[in-house]
Amino acid sequence: MDKAKIMIVEDEGLVGLDIQNSLQDLGYSTASVFSRASDALECLENESVDLVLMDIHLMGDMDGIEAAKEINERFSIPVLFLTAFANSEVIQRARSVGASGYLLKPFKTKELEAVVEVALYKHRADLDRGILEKRLQRAQKYESLRVMAGGVAHQFNNSLHAVLGNISFALEDLPRESPSRHSLMEAEKSAWKAAELSKQMLAFSGHGFVKTTELDITAFIGQLKHLLKAMLPSSVVLEFDLAHMLPLIKADPGQLKQIVIALILNAMEAIDGKSGIITVRTSCMECDTDYLIPLRSGEFLEEGTYVALEIADTGVGMDSDTIQKVFDPFFSTKFTGRGLGLPASLGLVQAHHGTIRISSKPGQGSTVKVLFPACRTDHHEDNILRAGGSPAWQGSGTILLVDDEEVVRTISRTMLERFGFKVLTAENGTEAVKILNRNSEEIVCILLDHTMPGMSGEQVFQEIRRILPDVKVVLSSGYSEEEATLNFQKGDLAGFLQKPYGFAYMANKIRKVLES
């Protein structure tokens, strides 16, 4: 995230220049230093800044508090007051004009950075409120685009499945020394690139793009220690309990910093100006689907290894009713202007395929646990079709393959037969039910397409459960897993195959399903 541009209004020239140098050393850009409020207001007519550092006592007819009121009304720019002293009357006047805070001179560079970061964060939260309202108004427009993109990608994936399947069969049947092998492998690479493009189309939903990188969350928190400590008043102790050698996570560093700052600010406000302790912990844990709270859309997170970031405080705590409301966008237990900290954090965490759990009791403090999926080794080779030979794993039994696309049935049937299975095929739900009634005793698994004319995948699944309650069902779709499984309950499906899929990937999936 780019550093902010800051204006300084300070009647003592040397002090103003010293603050300007400190801000520049911290990486911020600065506008000119002004000693009069009128000059600063004139500059703001033509220059855009993110924050104004304003001395309360200035040269001229207008003091800093009066200037801050005009800046808020005309430009909606946050103002942070600088003062060598502050009595109750001055503080009350500063609050009345909506100041973002104040800094008592003299101050250290880290104190300056902390107060500036808090002011900028609070202002971004206010802006996010307006952005959220606009996004809600545009939701229907994005939904129509999303449906169109998903439909195109779905059909595209069916075609790619046929292309990649036939390439895999050709590669298996060709001798290793064949000159045609190189051309087929190049075609295979291009087809997988097209599949990645299709995944991007499926991912389109109107949300911002997350630029993730693999990072060590303990090392990341370690880099923020000094900033986080400087954000807190002296009455609040910040403790760290950071585990080492944790799995990496994929995260956007800028957004992860926003999450940490938001949660620290929430913990500080829960302590409510009293003495207290905030503890930051990192750990690793295995999570099943019962522990993972489903996303607000109803989607369930995949069970497995998660890296946890915990922010615990000794504040006032919350009852169960309050916990149920804390993620509502406009709910707040504080004064007007707050309420987007946890909802915004949850949105960022969910964009990283994680979730947030909260535990709290009145008078016993709160613990906010953020869970990020741990990085796994990228077994991309599982999706790259084999260059020759038969699959190492061989299965047995009968699989019912249900798909309305003939080319998909042909390719998938050939794959399954090469794994050693007997395959029965159906082109629609009605035919699948008839075949299932006739062959229920021999079918060990059903590979079910999600989108078909007539009976949908969900309707066929209900008939399958009526006839064979315990048979394992693997759903297959050109849509993403999140989209395709939205109407299924937890535990309904034994697995999911997203088209297009490769030879080895399908073998690995079916093997895991049958051996589980």
Side-chain angles (χ1 to χ4, degrees):
M1 186 180 295
D2 294 336
K3 284 286 189 177
K5 185 175 183 180
I6 301 174
M7 173 184 284
I8 303 161
V9 187
E10 166 64 56
D11 64 338
E12 297 207 18
L14 291 177
V15 175
L17 290 175
D18 183 57
I19 295 172
Q20 185 180 47
N21 290 333
S22 295
L23 289 170
Q24 291 173 351
D25 289 341
L26 291 170
Y28 299 103
S29 62
T30 58
S32 301
V33 180
F34 298 96
S35 60
R36 294 176 181 271
S38 56
D39 295 334
L41 289 168
E42 184 178 348
C43 177
L44 289 174
E45 293 282 0
N46 303 304
E47 188 170 359
S48 177
V49 301
D50 300 296
L51 178 69
V52 177
L53 296 185
M54 177 80 70
D55 190 12
I56 291 180
H57 301 285
L58 298 171
M59 296 180 180
D61 298 332
M62 184 183 295
D63 69 7
I65 295 177
E66 293 171 314
K69 181 179 180 181
E70 190 163 344
I71 289 172
N72 281 332
E73 292 175 349
R74 291 173 56 187
F75 305 106
S76 298
I77 298 172
V79 176
L80 187 64
F81 285 127
L82 307 174
T83 182
F85 64 93
N87 56 38
S88 59
E89 181 182 352
V90 170
I91 292 175
Q92 187 60 37
R93 285 187 65 209
R95 284 179 175 172
S96 69
V97 298
S100 297
Y102 71 91
L103 192 59
L104 197 62
K105 296 185 286 188
F107 46 79
K108 297 179 180 179
T109 301
K110 280 297 180 182
E111 293 174 334
L112 174 63
E113 181 184 19
V115 175
V116 166
E117 283 291 322
V118 170
L120 290 170
Y121 171 81
K122 290 179 178 178
H123 183 61
R124 282 194 295 266
D126 289 338
L127 292 178
D128 286 345
R129 182 186 297 273
I131 292 171
L132 179 61
E133 291 172 349
K134 291 180 180 179
R135 284 179 177 173
L136 290 173
Q137 293 171 0
R138 296 197 302 265
Q140 289 184 329
K141 295 180 181 179
Y142 280 118
E143 177 67 11
S144 62
L145 291 174
R146 186 192 66 80
V147 171
M148 181 183 69
V152 172
H154 173 69
Q155 295 300 325
F156 190 47
N157 278 338
N158 279 337
S159 298
L160 280 174
H161 184 67
V163 171
L164 288 163
N166 281 302
I167 290 175
S168 71
F169 300 147
L171 286 171
E172 284 202 346
D173 295 339
L174 277 176
R176 291 189 176 276
E177 63 275 8
S178 171
S180 300
R181 179 173 291 278
H182 175 73
S183 297
L184 284 170
M185 292 177 71
E186 290 299 312
E188 177 187 79
K189 289 180 183 178
S190 296
W192 279 116
K193 288 180 180 179
E196 289 300 317
L197 176 62
S198 181
K199 287 182 180 179
Q200 292 180 33
M201 293 173 64
L202 286 171
F204 170 71
S205 62
H207 296 290
F209 180 66
V210 179
K211 297 175 67 175
T212 61
T213 184
E214 291 188 357
L215 57 82
D216 181 335
I217 196 167
T218 290
F220 184 85
I221 296 297
Q223 295 171 359
L224 295 179
K225 276 185 177 181
H226 295 297
L227 173 61
L228 298 178
K229 287 181 177 179
M231 288 168 52
L232 302 175
S234 57
S235 59
V236 177
V237 177
L238 184 61
E239 297 182 347
F240 294 90
D241 180 13
L242 305 179
H244 296 282
M245 302 298 292
L246 295 177
L248 301 180
I249 64 170
K250 283 188 176 180
D252 182 318
Q255 293 191 2
L256 184 56
K257 182 179 179 182
Q258 287 185 45
I259 293 168
V260 175
I261 290 176
L263 296 181
I264 291 292
L265 287 176
N266 274 353
M268 179 187 71
E269 291 178 348
I271 294 173
D272 201 21
K274 302 174 183 177
S275 297
I277 300 173
I278 297 175
T279 304
V280 181
R281 296 188 183 91
T282 57
S283 61
C284 181
M285 59 191 301
E286 293 295 321
C287 301
D288 58 23
T289 51
D290 290 332
Y291 184 81
L292 295 168
I293 297 175
L295 304 183
R296 295 175 75 81
S297 63
E299 303 164 12
F300 282 84
L301 297 175
E302 183 179 352
E303 63 181 18
T305 305
Y306 282 75
V307 175
L309 167 65
E310 289 185 42
I311 311 292
D313 65 69
T314 58
V316 296
M318 297 178 286
D319 58 28
S320 58
D321 290 338
T322 303
I323 293 176
Q324 295 297 320
K325 298 175 183 177
V326 292
F327 293 119
D328 292 345
F330 302 108
F331 174 78
S332 176
T333 59
K334 300 297 179 181
F335 50 82
T336 303
R338 303 292 175 86
L340 280 180
L342 278 173
S345 297
L346 179 62
L348 294 178
V349 172
Q350 289 181 347
H352 290 77
H353 307 291
T355 191
I356 297 178
R357 288 181 61 95
I358 297 178
S359 58
S360 181
K361 290 183 179 180
Q364 298 183 24
S366 303
T367 298
V368 179
K369 180 181 289 186
V370 184
L371 296 167
F372 296 99
C375 289
R376 287 177 262 181
T377 304
D378 184 10
H379 296 293
H380 182 61
E381 64 272 13
D382 285 348
N383 264 352
I384 301 300
L385 304 177
R386 296 160 60 96
S390 300
W393 173 75
Q394 288 286 294
S396 62
T398 300
I399 290 182
L400 174 58
L401 171 62
V402 188
D403 200 296
D404 64 311
E405 293 282 346
E406 182 180 1
V407 66
V408 174
R409 292 198 306 276
T410 302
I411 295 298
S412 298
R413 176 175 186 160
T414 304
M415 287 183 179
L416 291 168
E417 288 176 342
R418 294 198 181 195
F419 301 151
F421 292 102
K422 176 184 175 182
V423 183
L424 303 175
T425 61
E427 64 177 332
N428 56 55
T430 302
E431 185 178 357
V433 171
K434 291 179 180 178
I435 294 174
L436 192 59
N437 279 315
R438 292 196 303 265
N439 302 274
S440 59
E441 293 184 0
E442 63 177 295
I443 292 174
V444 298
C445 182
I446 298 174
L447 184 56
L448 176 65
D449 186 29
H450 173 256
T451 307
M452 296 180 291
M455 294 177 68
S456 67
E458 290 94 337
Q459 292 172 322
V460 178
F461 177 80
Q462 295 302 323
E463 287 298 307
I464 291 171
R465 280 288 170 259
R466 182 181 61 81
I467 300 168
L468 275 179
D470 298 324
V471 72
K472 295 179 178 180
V473 179
V474 177
L475 191 68
S476 178
S477 178
Y479 292 110
S480 68
E481 181 174 1
E482 292 79 7
E483 184 83 13
T485 60
L486 192 60
N487 294 324
F488 288 86
Q489 299 298 315
K490 181 181 67 172
D492 280 350
L493 302 171
F496 179 81
L497 279 170
Q498 183 173 349
K499 305 172 191 173
Y501 45 82
F503 204 46
Y505 183 76
M506 184 188 199
N508 186 52
K509 177 66 71 173
I510 298 298
R511 178 182 62 82
K512 286 183 177 179
V513 166
L514 293 179
E515 292 180 356
S516 63

